[in-house]
Amino acid sequence: MDNKKPQEQWIVRRFEHSEKKRYYQIFLQRGLLGWEVFRCWGGINQATGNKMVMPCDSYQEAVSKLALVVDQRAKKNYKEVRCDR
């Protein structure tokens, strides 16, 4: 019997809206109390922005929340760009 968990990994996704000059970045990371989805957004080349942390009970829940945010960005015409973090 195989009791291995699926590969849990740190994930980063970045989206930009070229017309609005806005960015949106999402991190899936392990926090002190479990997995969390860390979201940050703001203006490209501006010092302003905001952030939000969404705590999750499991890695699978975090991946599901991340997928929902990715879908939301696509519906708002954000394009995924390479993130070298």
Side-chain angles (χ1 to χ4, degrees), residues 27-78:
F27 305 84
L28 178 69
Q29 61 189 14
R30 181 96 174 152
L32 292 174
L33 302 175
W35 286 95
E36 54 193 24
V37 177
F38 184 85
R39 304 159 57 174
C40 58
W41 60 89
I44 296 174
N45 297 324
Q46 295 180 7
T48 60
N50 212 337
K51 61 186 176 231
M52 176 190 304
V53 177
M54 299 166 49
C56 303
D57 292 328
S58 68
Y59 179 77
Q60 291 77 18
E61 179 185 0
V63 169
S64 294
K65 285 185 178 182
L66 183 130
L68 288 174
V69 172
V70 168
D71 289 343
Q72 290 171 350
R73 293 300 103 199
K75 288 177 184 175
K76 294 187 177 193
N77 294 321
Y78 279 73

Side-chain angles (χ1 to χ4, degrees), residues 16-23 42-46 78:
E16 293 182 359
H17 196 294
S18 58
E19 293 174 15
K20 294 182 179 179
K21 303 293 185 205
R22 306 277 302 161
Y23 75 91
I44 296 174
N45 297 324
Q46 295 180 7
Y78 279 73

